[in-house]
PDB file of all heavy atoms in Angstrom:
ATOM      1  N   VAL A 139      -7.641 -18.252  23.507  1.00 98.00           N
ATOM      2  CA  VAL A 139      -8.366 -19.151  22.602  1.00 98.00           C
ATOM      3  C   VAL A 139      -9.356 -20.047  23.353  1.00 98.00           C
ATOM      4  O   VAL A 139      -9.211 -20.314  24.547  1.00 98.00           O
ATOM      5  CB  VAL A 139      -7.400 -20.071  21.798  1.00 98.00           C
ATOM      6  CG1 VAL A 139      -6.393 -19.243  21.031  1.00 98.00           C
ATOM      7  CG2 VAL A 139      -6.699 -21.072  22.700  1.00 98.00           C
ATOM      8  N   GLY A 140     -10.351 -20.506  22.604  1.00 98.00           N
ATOM      9  CA  GLY A 140     -11.262 -21.561  23.037  1.00 98.00           C
ATOM     10  C   GLY A 140     -11.891 -21.335  24.403  1.00 98.00           C
ATOM     11  O   GLY A 140     -12.390 -20.253  24.704  1.00 98.00           O
ATOM     12  N   ASN A 141     -11.850 -22.390  25.226  1.00 98.00           N
ATOM     13  CA  ASN A 141     -12.497 -22.332  26.545  1.00 98.00           C
ATOM     14  C   ASN A 141     -11.927 -21.220  27.416  1.00 98.00           C
ATOM     15  O   ASN A 141     -12.650 -20.561  28.171  1.00 98.00           O
ATOM     16  CB  ASN A 141     -12.322 -23.662  27.300  1.00 98.00           C
ATOM     17  CG  ASN A 141     -13.140 -24.762  26.658  1.00 98.00           C
ATOM     18  OD1 ASN A 141     -14.070 -24.477  25.889  1.00 98.00           O
ATOM     19  ND2 ASN A 141     -12.787 -26.006  26.934  1.00 98.00           N
ATOM     20  N   GLY A 142     -10.626 -21.007  27.307  1.00 98.00           N
ATOM     21  CA  GLY A 142      -9.979 -19.963  28.110  1.00 98.00           C
ATOM     22  C   GLY A 142     -10.502 -18.584  27.728  1.00 98.00           C
ATOM     23  O   GLY A 142     -10.725 -17.729  28.596  1.00 98.00           O
ATOM     24  N   ALA A 143     -10.698 -18.382  26.437  1.00 98.00           N
ATOM     25  CA  ALA A 143     -11.221 -17.090  25.965  1.00 98.00           C
ATOM     26  C   ALA A 143     -12.645 -16.908  26.457  1.00 98.00           C
ATOM     27  O   ALA A 143     -13.038 -15.815  26.903  1.00 98.00           O
ATOM     28  CB  ALA A 143     -11.171 -17.037  24.440  1.00 98.00           C
ATOM     29  N   GLN A 144     -13.419 -17.993  26.427  1.00 98.00           N
ATOM     30  CA  GLN A 144     -14.819 -17.909  26.879  1.00 98.00           C
ATOM     31  C   GLN A 144     -14.870 -17.626  28.391  1.00 98.00           C
ATOM     32  O   GLN A 144     -15.651 -16.800  28.854  1.00 98.00           O
ATOM     33  CB  GLN A 144     -15.556 -19.203  26.547  1.00 98.00           C
ATOM     34  CG  GLN A 144     -17.049 -19.096  26.779  1.00 98.00           C
ATOM     35  CD  GLN A 144     -17.718 -20.445  26.660  1.00 98.00           C
ATOM     36  OE1 GLN A 144     -17.514 -21.342  27.490  1.00 98.00           O
ATOM     37  NE2 GLN A 144     -18.522 -20.610  25.619  1.00 98.00           N
ATOM     38  N   GLN A 145     -14.034 -18.330  29.133  1.00 98.00           N
ATOM     39  CA  GLN A 145     -13.985 -18.131  30.589  1.00 98.00           C
ATOM     40  C   GLN A 145     -13.617 -16.676  30.918  1.00 98.00           C
ATOM     41  O   GLN A 145     -14.241 -16.027  31.751  1.00 98.00           O
ATOM     42  CB  GLN A 145     -12.938 -19.084  31.171  1.00 98.00           C
ATOM     43  CG  GLN A 145     -12.864 -19.083  32.677  1.00 98.00           C
ATOM     44  CD  GLN A 145     -11.673 -19.919  33.169  1.00 98.00           C
ATOM     45  OE1 GLN A 145     -11.255 -20.867  32.499  1.00 98.00           O
ATOM     46  NE2 GLN A 145     -11.140 -19.566  34.300  1.00 98.00           N
ATOM     47  N   PHE A 146     -12.631 -16.152  30.200  1.00 98.00           N
ATOM     48  CA  PHE A 146     -12.211 -14.762  30.400  1.00 98.00           C
ATOM     49  C   PHE A 146     -13.366 -13.806  30.079  1.00 98.00           C
ATOM     50  O   PHE A 146     -13.603 -12.828  30.798  1.00 98.00           O
ATOM     51  CB  PHE A 146     -11.005 -14.474  29.497  1.00 98.00           C
ATOM     52  CG  PHE A 146     -10.600 -13.030  29.466  1.00 98.00           C
ATOM     53  CD1 PHE A 146      -9.830 -12.484  30.496  1.00 98.00           C
ATOM     54  CD2 PHE A 146     -10.972 -12.205  28.409  1.00 98.00           C
ATOM     55  CE1 PHE A 146      -9.467 -11.136  30.470  1.00 98.00           C
ATOM     56  CE2 PHE A 146     -10.602 -10.865  28.371  1.00 98.00           C
ATOM     57  CZ  PHE A 146      -9.847 -10.330  29.408  1.00 98.00           C
ATOM     58  N   ALA A 147     -14.090 -14.114  28.989  1.00 98.00           N
ATOM     59  CA  ALA A 147     -15.203 -13.251  28.585  1.00 98.00           C
ATOM     60  C   ALA A 147     -16.268 -13.214  29.680  1.00 98.00           C
ATOM     61  O   ALA A 147     -16.730 -12.144  30.092  1.00 98.00           O
ATOM     62  CB  ALA A 147     -15.799 -13.751  27.272  1.00 98.00           C
ATOM     63  N   VAL A 148     -16.633 -14.399  30.179  1.00 98.00           N
ATOM     64  CA  VAL A 148     -17.680 -14.473  31.210  1.00 98.00           C
ATOM     65  C   VAL A 148     -17.218 -13.747  32.472  1.00 98.00           C
ATOM     66  O   VAL A 148     -17.976 -12.980  33.080  1.00 98.00           O
ATOM     67  CB  VAL A 148     -18.060 -15.951  31.480  1.00 98.00           C
ATOM     68  CG1 VAL A 148     -18.957 -16.072  32.699  1.00 98.00           C
ATOM     69  CG2 VAL A 148     -18.727 -16.551  30.243  1.00 98.00           C
ATOM     70  N   GLU A 149     -15.967 -13.955  32.837  1.00 98.00           N
ATOM     71  CA  GLU A 149     -15.416 -13.265  34.026  1.00 98.00           C
ATOM     72  C   GLU A 149     -15.480 -11.747  33.877  1.00 98.00           C
ATOM     73  O   GLU A 149     -15.538 -11.012  34.850  1.00 98.00           O
ATOM     74  CB  GLU A 149     -13.952 -13.666  34.241  1.00 98.00           C
ATOM     75  CG  GLU A 149     -13.771 -15.011  34.909  1.00 98.00           C
ATOM     76  CD  GLU A 149     -12.326 -15.503  34.823  1.00 98.00           C
ATOM     77  OE1 GLU A 149     -11.437 -14.741  34.410  1.00 98.00           O
ATOM     78  OE2 GLU A 149     -12.116 -16.678  35.156  1.00 98.00           O
ATOM     79  N   ASN A 150     -15.458 -11.301  32.630  1.00 98.00           N
ATOM     80  CA  ASN A 150     -15.479  -9.857  32.375  1.00 98.00           C
ATOM     81  C   ASN A 150     -16.857  -9.337  31.998  1.00 98.00           C
ATOM     82  O   ASN A 150     -16.987  -8.270  31.412  1.00 98.00           O
ATOM     83  CB  ASN A 150     -14.449  -9.501  31.311  1.00 98.00           C
ATOM     84  CG  ASN A 150     -13.057  -9.425  31.904  1.00 98.00           C
ATOM     85  OD1 ASN A 150     -12.672  -8.409  32.467  1.00 98.00           O
ATOM     86  ND2 ASN A 150     -12.333 -10.533  31.830  1.00 98.00           N
ATOM     87  N   GLY A 151     -17.876 -10.138  32.341  1.00 98.00           N
ATOM     88  CA  GLY A 151     -19.246  -9.633  32.237  1.00 98.00           C
ATOM     89  C   GLY A 151     -19.955  -9.913  30.921  1.00 98.00           C
ATOM     90  O   GLY A 151     -21.073  -9.453  30.720  1.00 98.00           O
ATOM     91  N   PHE A 152     -19.332 -10.658  30.016  1.00 98.00           N
ATOM     92  CA  PHE A 152     -20.019 -10.992  28.762  1.00 98.00           C
ATOM     93  C   PHE A 152     -20.978 -12.152  29.028  1.00 98.00           C
ATOM     94  O   PHE A 152     -20.649 -13.093  29.763  1.00 98.00           O
ATOM     95  CB  PHE A 152     -19.010 -11.386  27.681  1.00 98.00           C
ATOM     96  CG  PHE A 152     -18.161 -10.240  27.215  1.00 98.00           C
ATOM     97  CD1 PHE A 152     -17.014  -9.865  27.910  1.00 98.00           C
ATOM     98  CD2 PHE A 152     -18.514  -9.508  26.089  1.00 98.00           C
ATOM     99  CE1 PHE A 152     -16.230  -8.799  27.504  1.00 98.00           C
ATOM    100  CE2 PHE A 152     -17.737  -8.431  25.666  1.00 98.00           C
ATOM    101  CZ  PHE A 152     -16.594  -8.078  26.378  1.00 98.00           C
ATOM    102  N   MET A 153     -22.152 -12.062  28.393  1.00 97.00           N
ATOM    103  CA  MET A 153     -23.172 -13.096  28.621  1.00 97.00           C
ATOM    104  C   MET A 153     -22.883 -14.338  27.783  1.00 97.00           C
ATOM    105  O   MET A 153     -22.463 -14.212  26.630  1.00 97.00           O
ATOM    106  CB  MET A 153     -24.534 -12.538  28.211  1.00 97.00           C
ATOM    107  CG  MET A 153     -25.666 -13.065  29.031  1.00 97.00           C
ATOM    108  SD  MET A 153     -27.103 -12.044  28.719  1.00 97.00           S
ATOM    109  CE  MET A 153     -27.841 -12.972  27.415  1.00 97.00           C
ATOM    110  N   LEU A 154     -23.134 -15.496  28.360  1.00 98.00           N
ATOM    111  CA  LEU A 154     -23.005 -16.741  27.593  1.00 98.00           C
ATOM    112  C   LEU A 154     -24.319 -16.976  26.855  1.00 98.00           C
ATOM    113  O   LEU A 154     -25.360 -17.173  27.475  1.00 98.00           O
ATOM    114  CB  LEU A 154     -22.722 -17.877  28.577  1.00 98.00           C
ATOM    115  CG  LEU A 154     -22.008 -19.107  28.060  1.00 98.00           C
ATOM    116  CD1 LEU A 154     -20.725 -18.776  27.333  1.00 98.00           C
ATOM    117  CD2 LEU A 154     -21.729 -20.070  29.222  1.00 98.00           C
ATOM    118  N   GLU A 155     -24.274 -16.936  25.532  1.00 96.00           N
ATOM    119  CA  GLU A 155     -25.486 -17.108  24.724  1.00 96.00           C
ATOM    120  C   GLU A 155     -25.798 -18.588  24.565  1.00 96.00           C
ATOM    121  O   GLU A 155     -25.009 -19.449  24.956  1.00 96.00           O
ATOM    122  CB  GLU A 155     -25.296 -16.451  23.350  1.00 96.00           C
ATOM    123  CG  GLU A 155     -24.814 -15.005  23.401  1.00 96.00           C
ATOM    124  CD  GLU A 155     -25.886 -14.022  23.853  1.00 96.00           C
ATOM    125  OE1 GLU A 155     -27.080 -14.339  23.715  1.00 96.00           O
ATOM    126  OE2 GLU A 155     -25.523 -12.946  24.361  1.00 96.00           O
TER     127      GLU A 155
END
Side-chain angles (χ1 to χ4, degrees):
V139 304
N141 290 342
Q144 189 189 68
Q145 185 187 332
F146 172 80
V148 170
E149 280 167 9
N150 280 277
F152 291 84
M153 213 166 93
L154 205 52
E155 308 287 337

